[in-house]
Amino acid sequence: ISAAIPDGAVIKLVDSSVSFADADGHWASDAISFVSARELFSGTGTDAFAPEQPMTRAMLMTVITRLDGMDTEGGAVWYEKGMAWALANGISDGTEPDGRIVREQLITMLHRYAGSPAAAQGELRFSDADAVSGYALEAMAWAVEAGILLGFGDGGLAPGGEVTRAQAAAILTRYINIMGG
């Protein structure tokens, strides 16, 4: 869709929606559509998102790099540009790019990307709050207070729980909607 605006400016709206067969009816289908349409996440195949596949550190570094508007194409490995950007910007130390990411690691990287804002109260009231690593305490408290990270029905936060691609899409969607971007 294009519309002419006075003074020669033009607004162009593009439908970048992507449909994945394995995401249809999935609890995170809206979030998957949201991050895919913004070209933050790619599918794992022609018609597959693999929502229950583990999220890796390399995937997250690449997603955050794309969120910042940077090009991630090219390099010796698919995540090279994303990792280089994340290292240069203090988002990640680049270790274990193929390692599965856990909730507190994902939130710490988003917290750094957001400029490391302080948590207003800094207290986590979850049954497993004592399991949060020291390096992640401020980030986790900030994310919970902001509504980016949600707990589970059992009263836990699962800071060491591995993150699936669907969970990462949901967290990123909340981050973008709350923080802008």
Side-chain angles (χ1 to χ4, degrees):
I1 300 172
S2 294
I5 306 297
D7 298 326
V10 176
I11 296 175
K12 185 175 183 179
L13 302 175
V14 178
D15 181 4
S16 298
S17 60
V18 181
S19 179
F20 300 105
D22 62 352
D24 288 344
H26 191 277
W27 67 266
S29 63
D30 289 343
I32 291 167
S33 294
F34 183 90
V35 297
S36 297
R38 283 158 183 77
E39 299 178 347
L40 300 176
F41 278 65
S42 298
T44 58
T46 308
D47 193 25
F49 184 82
E52 297 307 315
Q53 178 181 323
M55 187 77 173
T56 66
R57 295 172 57 85
M59 288 177 196
L60 185 62
M61 287 185 279
T62 302
V63 165
I64 294 174
T65 302
R66 290 175 182 157
L67 179 60
D68 200 58
M70 304 303 295
D71 179 18
T72 60
E73 296 299 316
V77 292
W78 66 267
Y79 58 81
E80 182 177 337
K81 285 189 175 182
M83 186 166 78
W85 181 91
L87 283 163
N89 288 280
I91 305 301
S92 175
D93 62 7
T95 58
E96 297 182 53
D98 293 323
R100 295 176 177 186
I101 197 158
V102 298
R103 288 167 60 89
E104 68 183 9
Q105 292 168 341
L106 183 150
I107 292 301
T108 299
M109 289 172 71
L110 281 179
H111 183 248
R112 290 175 184 155
Y113 179 68
S116 300
Q121 296 163 354
E123 186 176 345
L124 291 169
R125 295 184 179 155
F126 292 89
S127 60
D128 57 356
D130 59 336
V132 176
S133 299
Y135 76 87
L137 277 171
E138 181 76 18
M140 295 288 277
W142 161 79
V144 168
E145 288 176 11
I148 296 165
L149 183 65
L150 308 175
F152 293 101
D154 65 359
L157 194 55
E162 290 184 358
V163 178
T164 65
R165 287 172 50 86
Q167 291 168 336
I171 291 169
L172 262 291
T173 296
R174 286 191 296 271
Y175 174 87
I176 292 166
N177 286 330
I178 291 166
M179 303 300 291

